[in-house]
Amino acid sequence: STTTTTTTTTSTTTTTTTATTTTTTTTTTTTTTTTIAPVVAESANNDWVHGEADFSCTDVCAAVGGSCDANAMKNVNTIAELRFVVNQFANPPCNTFKMSSRITKQNLPASTTENMCKVSTRRIATCDAHKQGTGRYCCCGDYCPIKTSQLSTTTTTTTT
């Protein structure tokens, strides 16, 4: 999200001498641009990224140097899978969870500004979808687990 503020100041000076009038006009324009980063948080253990509200997963993944995997996001279609993804982050923003079966919900899984996390049962997530006030959960790489059995584990065997 980008906010641009432009301020224009104009001053005019008129000097009159015998038979000559000189007018000088000076215009100064100052432009300030503020850009909000598209990423709220990255998971420490996998490629899930929680995007800032109003951004697409294409934008979010580009900001972390990854590429969006829409198929992985389409696989998140139950409350249990959404809870698993949300819990990959240090401060999950969800107080409530909601299922949606509406055909237009291509921006899910996501969280809202009201601390509600939503998931679609229709498997229609896209990388380019975005919605005002909604922060998407984006798969930005090859490793985006949606349940405990998909987590990578390291086993260390010590022989004495």
Side-chain angles (χ1 to χ4, degrees), residues 7-13 24-29:
T7 306
T8 303
T9 306
T10 304
S11 63
T12 304
T13 305
T24 306
T25 303
T26 305
T27 303
T28 305
T29 302

Coordinates of all heavy atoms in Angstrom, one line a residue, residues 7-13 24-29:
T7 N 2.6 18.6 -1.9 CA 2.4 20.0 -1.4 C 3.0 20.9 -2.5 O 4.2 20.7 -2.8 CB 3.1 20.2 -0.1 OG1 2.6 19.2 0.8 CG2 2.7 21.6 0.5
T8 N 2.2 21.9 -2.9 CA 2.7 22.9 -3.9 C 2.6 24.3 -3.3 O 1.6 24.6 -2.8 CB 1.9 22.8 -5.2 OG1 2.0 21.5 -5.7 CG2 2.5 23.8 -6.2
T9 N 3.7 25.0 -3.3 CA 3.8 26.3 -2.8 C 4.2 27.3 -3.9 O 5.1 27.0 -4.7 CB 4.8 26.5 -1.7 OG1 4.6 25.5 -0.7 CG2 4.8 27.8 -1.1
T10 N 3.4 28.3 -4.1 CA 3.7 29.3 -5.2 C 3.9 30.7 -4.6 O 3.1 31.1 -3.8 CB 2.6 29.3 -6.2 OG1 2.4 28.0 -6.7 CG2 2.9 30.3 -7.4
S11 N 5.0 31.4 -5.0 CA 5.2 32.8 -4.5 C 5.4 33.6 -5.8 O 6.1 33.2 -6.7 CB 6.3 32.9 -3.6 OG 7.5 32.5 -4.2
T12 N 4.9 34.8 -5.7 CA 5.0 35.8 -6.9 C 5.7 37.1 -6.3 O 5.2 37.6 -5.3 CB 3.7 36.1 -7.5 OG1 3.1 34.8 -7.9 CG2 3.8 37.0 -8.7
T13 N 6.7 37.5 -7.1 CA 7.3 38.8 -6.7 C 7.2 39.7 -7.9 O 7.5 39.3 -9.0 CB 8.8 38.6 -6.4 OG1 8.9 37.6 -5.4 CG2 9.5 39.9 -6.0
T24 N 8.3 37.6 -11.3 CA 8.9 36.3 -11.1 C 8.0 35.4 -10.3 O 7.6 35.8 -9.2 CB 10.3 36.5 -10.4 OG1 11.1 37.5 -11.1 CG2 11.0 35.2 -10.3
T25 N 7.7 34.3 -10.8 CA 6.9 33.3 -10.1 C 7.7 32.1 -9.8 O 8.3 31.5 -10.7 CB 5.6 32.9 -10.9 OG1 4.9 34.1 -11.2 CG2 4.8 31.9 -10.1
T26 N 7.8 31.6 -8.5 CA 8.5 30.5 -8.1 C 7.5 29.4 -7.6 O 6.7 29.8 -6.7 CB 9.5 30.8 -7.0 OG1 10.4 31.9 -7.5 CG2 10.4 29.6 -6.7
T27 N 7.6 28.2 -8.1 CA 6.7 27.1 -7.6 C 7.6 26.0 -7.1 O 8.5 25.6 -7.8 CB 5.8 26.6 -8.8 OG1 5.1 27.7 -9.3 CG2 4.9 25.5 -8.3
T28 N 7.3 25.6 -5.8 CA 8.0 24.5 -5.2 C 7.1 23.4 -4.9 O 6.0 23.6 -4.3 CB 8.7 24.9 -3.9 OG1 9.5 26.1 -4.2 CG2 9.5 23.8 -3.3
T29 N 7.4 22.2 -5.4 CA 6.5 21.0 -5.2 C 7.3 20.0 -4.4 O 8.4 19.6 -4.8 CB 6.1 20.4 -6.5 OG1 5.4 21.4 -7.3 CG2 5.1 19.2 -6.3

